[in-house]
Amino acid sequence: MDFQSKKLINDPNDVVTEFIEGLIENYPGLQYLDGFPEVKVVLRADVSGAKYDKVAIISGGGSGHEPAHAGFVGEGMLTAAICGDVFASPNVDSILAGIRAVTGPMGCLLIVKNYTGDRLNFGLAAEQAKSEGYKVEMVIVGDDCALPPPRGIAGRRGLAGTLLVHKVAGAAAACGLPLADVAAEAKHASEMVGTMGVALSVCTLPGQVTSDRLGPGKMELGLGIHGEPGAAVADLQPVDVVVSHVLKEILSPETNYIPITRGSRVVLLINGLGATPLMELMIIAGKAVPELQLEHGLAVDRVYTGSFMTSLDMAGFSISVMKADQAILDRLDAPTKAPNWPVGAEGNRPPAKIPVPLPPSHSIKSDKTLSRPEKLSPQGHILEAAIEAAATEVVILRDNLNEWDNKVGDGDCGSTMFRGAVAILEDMKKYYPLNDPAETINEIGASIGRVMGGTSGILYSIFCKAAYAKLKENAESVVTALHWADSLEAAIAAVSKYGGASAGYRTLLDALIPALSALKERLNAGDDPVDAFIISAEAASAGAESTKHMQAQAGRSTYVPGDILASVPDPGAMAAAAWYRAAALAVKEKYNTA
């Protein structure tokens, strides 16, 4: 029977901000940005971004996993933690605020758990920060060993092993290493760790009822950290049996998730999920260490036991095993003042909060930059025609896109794209600096980000931000066809990087990748740029139509039977092909009438 859970809280909507306020009262080495409730960022009190002379290490994600991530902010570990709402990815503005607050000339490394929302929001923030002049790298951690290699692009979830990656990266940054080296060490560490969890109860979100999904005498194996069901439900067994099963799954030679073989040195992390007594965690550790030594032939060099990455009030545990060499051990042993790593924190109490830093553009961008020029250059006229044609075509296609999406998705692709197109048409009349192509693309991204929701909105925002950054590299006053091709290539690469899709996944990239290939081929062959643009638009249309024959590997279409997918093309790809073709035809018409 469902019943209202008992929680020591006030308003369920305030739990994250009130947690941060309490955290700061306990640890004088921490501060938070004065941006509640939208911006929830915990950072080191001794770091000022403009003056910081080391690589900043930034992580975060949904709240509800305390002490992760804010409890691991401190010298030698994280420089800042970005806190989302409970089990929800932090928004882009919060991530950007954290980057601006702590990132100096050495740059910053974003360590992101492998969840779609985290990847996309941290990815867009990374691209925005890069466009503002910051040096940013990102490492995605997927240490889940519960499931066989998944279909599609979701991949392995990020679990408690992420904390070991934080520690390695934080220690490397504290040594003064450059960004590329810190990122390489973090990536290497992420490839050395595997995790699996076991739940005895279901967690309860603040203000919600307690689920009775797990009956008496049952446990879930291979769960995530957001209350989602585990990979399997089984009868509760003695802890010896459970630990043995979990370690076999993590170290399975069939899945080969981590390169650990007999004779390897390892680090063991026993993590409580929120409601597991320390006594039980110590029992688990007492079983796991000899199991690793005697059954698997491994040397256990370090053991960490406690509640590090929880799932609210869930009863259960996870085990992480990391392959270790002396370099990794040195990083794990390095001193840190992060309050929830097993090292004490001390220091004088600074002010509890500091202002949210403004982006550099706010102080340097004039009103004129964000307005339509009084007189358009020839390049500006062509760009205006292309944008207007592309957006208008998306408006016309709204019903068709929704109809296709009703069969293979959630039915709102056309409506989502329509909102973005209408905003572009409206904003272009007032704000787009059309004589400056790079800034115009940046403003298109801003229009999209303001009104387009869901995955499409953030993917197109990333697309525009990456294209803008590439165009800004061009020191010439006129943007050539090759410059446009390079910016399209950069935009496609960014969407693929942060969204995880590539050619053949049945996404918008199946229209844009063929278009890019055709465009570069014709330009390199010396063709007239307008003709090359038209040919590439034909390739985009053909690529979009070919999605009928593809098995979806991204988005909601992955759950749709193949015979239904074969009846319609991917609406996202068709939308991309349509606006691309409309833009190409508009450019051709402009040149023919010039």
Side-chain angles (χ1 to χ4, degrees), residues 446-471:
S447 300
I448 290 171
R450 192 180 71 252
V451 301
M452 275 180 70
T455 300
S456 296
I458 198 163
L459 285 176
Y460 270 107
S461 295
I462 290 173
F463 181 93
C464 291
K465 189 60 63 177
Y468 162 74
K470 191 65 179 179
L471 287 171

Side-chain angles (χ1 to χ4, degrees), residues 30 169 215 237 272 460 470 504 507 518 541-542 588:
L30 304 181
Q237 299 290 320
Y460 270 107
K470 191 65 179 179
T507 70
S541 298
K588 181 178 181 180

Side-chain angles (χ1 to χ4, degrees), residues 64-90:
H65 308 302
E66 291 71 32
H69 299 80
F72 297 100
V73 175
E75 183 181 347
M77 208 163 174
L78 297 182
T79 321
I82 320 299
C83 305
D85 290 327
V86 174
F87 293 171
S89 174

Side-chain angles (χ1 to χ4, degrees), residues 261 263-267 292-293 296-302 322 324:
T261 56
S264 294
R265 304 168 68 184
V266 299
V267 168
L292 288 170
Q293 293 170 331
H296 297 278
L298 304 175
V300 182
D301 282 329
R302 301 288 186 278
M322 171 182 267

Side-chain angles (χ1 to χ4, degrees), residues 325-348:
D325 53 23
Q326 192 56 50
I328 283 180
L329 293 176
D330 288 344
R331 296 302 190 207
L332 295 176
D333 292 343
T336 178
K337 292 185 178 180
N340 288 103
W341 194 258
V343 173
E346 58 186 15
N348 296 322

Side-chain angles (χ1 to χ4, degrees), residues 123-281:
L124 178 53
E127 291 302 314
Q128 172 68 39
K130 290 176 186 176
S131 74
E132 294 175 10
Y134 294 99
K135 294 190 290 187
V136 183
E137 292 289 345
M138 189 163 96
V139 169
I140 296 171
V141 182
D143 55 314
D144 181 18
C145 296
L147 302 171
R151 171 181 164 202
I153 62 174
R156 299 165 62 190
R157 298 168 292 191
L159 301 174
T162 309
L163 302 177
L164 299 173
V165 180
H166 290 165
K167 185 62 177 66
V168 169
C175 291
L177 295 182
L179 178 58
D181 291 353
V182 174
E185 286 203 26
K187 186 174 188 303
H188 173 71
S190 73
E191 295 166 348
M192 296 296 110
V193 63
T195 301
M196 182 174 171
V198 176
L200 307 183
S201 71
V202 179
C203 66
T204 307
L205 274 66
Q208 297 191 17
V209 298
T210 300
S211 168
D212 61 354
R213 186 178 78 224
L214 259 185
K218 298 292 183 181
M219 62 180 180
E220 283 185 335
L221 304 172
L223 70 152
I225 53 174
H226 301 100
E228 64 268 48
V233 176
D235 292 329
L236 185 62
Q237 299 290 320
V239 71
D240 284 5
V241 176
V242 179
V243 169
S244 179
H245 172 78
V246 169
L247 291 177
K248 285 178 181 176
E249 289 294 313
I250 294 173
L251 300 169
S252 168
E254 283 76 28
T255 52
N256 195 30
Y257 276 135
I258 42 179
I260 294 177
T261 56
R262 296 186 75 85
S264 294
R265 304 168 68 184
V266 299
V267 168
L268 175 67
L269 184 145
I270 308 295
N271 172 57
L273 294 177
T276 309
L278 184 60
M279 175 187 287
E280 295 177 25
L281 295 177

Side-chain angles (χ1 to χ4, degrees), residues 277-355:
L278 184 60
M279 175 187 287
E280 295 177 25
L281 295 177
M282 289 300 176
I283 292 172
I284 293 164
K287 168 60 182 177
V289 172
E291 180 85 2
L292 288 170
Q293 293 170 331
L294 301 176
E295 296 297 324
H296 297 278
L298 304 175
V300 182
D301 282 329
R302 301 288 186 278
V303 180
Y304 301 98
T305 300
S307 293
F308 302 109
M309 184 175 285
T310 63
S311 186
L312 292 172
D313 56 355
M314 182 179 285
F317 70 94
S318 67
I319 295 179
S320 300
V321 181
M322 171 182 267
K323 184 177 182 180
D325 53 23
Q326 192 56 50
I328 283 180
L329 293 176
D330 288 344
R331 296 302 190 207
L332 295 176
D333 292 343
T336 178
K337 292 185 178 180
N340 288 103
W341 194 258
V343 173
E346 58 186 15
N348 296 322
R349 181 179 296 276
K353 59 185 179 182
I354 61 174

